[in-house]
Amino acid sequence: MRRLAPSTLALAIVLAAGALDAQPSPTASGPLASGQKALAASDYAKAEEELAQVKGAGEPEAKLALARASFEQGKFDAADKYAQQAAASAAHKTKAIVLRAEILAAQGKMREAIALLDGVKNSGKGEAVRRARLMLAEYLITTGKRNDADDPLHKVIEDYNDNSITNQDAEGLAQVGRAAFLLRSPKDANQAFKESERVDKKRVETNLWAAELFLDKYDPGHAAEELKDALAVAPKRADALVAMARVKLDQTLDFDDAEKLLKEALAVNPKHTGAFAVRAGIALRDMDIKGADKAIAEGLAINPNHLELLSLKAAARFLDDDTKGFESAKKEVFAKNSQYSRFYAIVGEYAEWEHRYDDIVAMMKEATKIDPDDGKAWADLGLTQMRSGNETQGLADIQKAWSKDKFNVRVFNTLNMYEQDIPNQYETVPDGVFKVRYVKEERAVMERYVPRMLGEAWASMKARYGFVPTVPVQVEMYGSRQHFSVRTSGLPNIGIQGVCFGRVVAAISPNAEPFNWGNVLWHELGHVFAIQLSKNHVPRWFTEGLSEYETIARRPEWARELDPELYQALNNNKLPGAVDMNRAFTHAEDANDVTIAYYAASQMLVWTVERFGMNHVVQALKLWGEGKKTPDVIKSAFGVTPEEYDSGYRTWQLARLSRYKNQYLFTRKPKELEEAKKALAQAPNDASAHVDMAISLVRSKKGGEAKKEIDAALSIDPKNADAHFVAAKLATGEKDLDGARRHLDTMRGIGADGYAIHSLLADIAEAQNDDARLRYHFEAAYRFDPSQSDPLKGLYDLALKEKREGDALDILRKLAPLEQHDRKIWRTLLEKLVAQKQWDEARRVGEGAIFVDIMGGQTHVLYARALAASNAHDKAASELETALLCKMKPNDLATAHALLAQELVVLKRGAEAKSHLDEALKLDPQNAEAKGVKL
């Protein structure tokens, strides 16, 4: 097992040993003190008002603070004017020069900034000179002179080692941390930041630097903690708001929250180039090239030498297939910094979003040539090669990344997995056009089914797409979510079950989590065809929808059941059109919205295939591969405009979902409490505003206040259906079941009836032990929406309770197709069909059950019984052989051996039959099946 390595710098950070106490600086008072305090809290208006009053001895310090306040608001001219005024004081000159350099650098005037700092870097000791050295080093690195940065950075370290920086000097310790970070010594940086925060927990600059370190090391969680601390002190600090936007994207890809933070930041500092960079990145993930270009242009108008923005400019050209523009933008970046290997990482981040894995490998190879010591570049190269199926070379490059940076958590996790887990727990087996990785202990069972299903899918797709992907295709099944997550992302927990990298498909093993492995592998193999046929240019919505269509076409029960959610999205105009459909994935508010996006995309492709035919879908993929844009692809492949495509789909979909048109649907989502309060204050006589307020209060666990708001809503509008529904929910929570039912009956009386109403009435009936009403409301709920499984589950339980076996079986027949991942439901249905000797149906259900319960020995036995009864004795014997590979109780194993013996007798394999019969009687001498075998 790998361990994180010790520090690479001799910083001697044993901070409690022999350090001198810091000498306190004189304490400011009056307007200077209050102005500085307001500045620290990012209350810029108050800071400027107070500091403008300072005269006399404190005036230079006030001018510096005014310069900082102006700078943090993007008022560069004013900031520079104040800084120059402060520089007239000899005691403040160095600080003023450093700040002037920051102001110049923010405008891309690096040469001038470096010249200013060069003039003061050797002007003695102390915080101001140290900051000059630190900023000088950062700007030298930015301009491609990393070697020249070493000397000023090590001088900062020397200030710590000779005790010029003490263990009570929060600013000095933070500067040591920043120097260590720039010297690529993350462990020392982290330790120094921690010590700085121990001294001063409210030092925002330390928080910002520490957050940058954590983001650089793929740790957005700790970065978020640092930034929350920073924003608690300075809630309007634009740097912190922009950094938090980056965290939101890294953690959850929450585009909307990130955009809100960017708006807040730009309201404070309209010239924050980092905000424009993040905004451009969001647009690129949406493939909104025009939006990205706009944000990039706005940022470059402020700082024409901003390397991240220039790299994003190249990324936009790359994604737009503008090779000439990409090369021109790349040339511009490297003319400004020939060592800027991060250029390729930035472009690669967005290339990965669009499945351009081969391009990323080529780019990261260039990055490692430019800066052979860039551990992140080696890591990106190695990880991408491994995702592309080149594990040998990828692992070698990952090991090189580890030699450069032993604090990259993705590298650490991946190496541990490949050095410990893969060799010991997995086997990779060539099988025709596939290479399949199995959990060792599952291989015996899985390889009896997985290659066969993959072969079926391959043949089907090859015929329909008229295309053969690059082989081999590597299919990997992992025995834990952690292994799957590390293999696919380098991080230990991602919330999906399968992923496709173009030539590699990875999934969680069905023994690790309950899910339908056939659905997942068929879906991911569909991506192999779509991605490769489109030359990695197919939009996300189309390839996801096409893979969902593929699974539905193979087995209809593999469809998702999200009709009410899709209807609401369409009815509320929350679903983008085809050209912008990627936004349904990237701007989802939560995981449920992402699931709805998958379902919507699947239905768009169902309609597309029905309306235009599969050959036109294939043509669309080819057109994307030729570099055509989505509007042109839709026109050429389908013969309609994007608007006509959207309209046609919408008409078809709403017709399919017409059952919801006259149903009551509760569609409100909780607002933030402050937002709800503000809306209510603006419309105190609006019943809906009171309902929104109530919902927000419920989420804040303030049920009593919520009830008052609902009462207010009903006093304004006694027929407000949402108010009655929320009132019913609140009453149910308070055990006032009769009161809850009265609200629901009132709703039905005013025509607000539907699935949601009867589901809640069923809950009330169940709580009151009224089985007659419970059954009535379950049946009503199912009639309103046959795509939902909960009423059927309730009806099944009632049927069992009342010993209505026939009804129970009929309910299971309806329930199993809605619960494609539920092992218990499929096995129970199969058991009942076998018990009633309904062999044809049992055989069909058994085929589906294998995809849900492949490691369930009893399921294989039941399926074998159905096959045997249908005279498919060879297949029955095969299923029984599988059952014997599964974990079962001794008496169940005995039954499987006995049944297999019987099948082998029929197949005239007497010696094998005797062996299995002997084993059955050994396990269970009284086994009825064994006693019935005639050799």
Side-chain angles (χ1 to χ4, degrees), residues 795-806:
L795 288 168
Y796 176 73
D797 290 341
L798 274 175
L800 288 184
K801 181 179 178 181
E802 297 167 0
K803 298 186 175 7
R804 292 183 282 109
E805 291 297 328

Side-chain angles (χ1 to χ4, degrees), residues 796 808-817 823-836 838 841-842 844-846 849 862:
Y796 176 73
L809 178 56
D810 287 341
I811 292 165
L812 280 174
R813 287 183 171 119
K814 297 171 183 174
L815 182 56
R823 298 170 181 171
K824 183 178 178 181
I825 288 173
W826 279 83
R827 185 186 293 186
T828 303
L829 173 58
L830 188 55
E831 283 175 348
K832 289 187 178 296
L833 291 170
V834 168
Q836 295 193 16
Q838 299 193 29
E841 186 179 358
R844 292 193 299 273
V845 169
L862 291 164

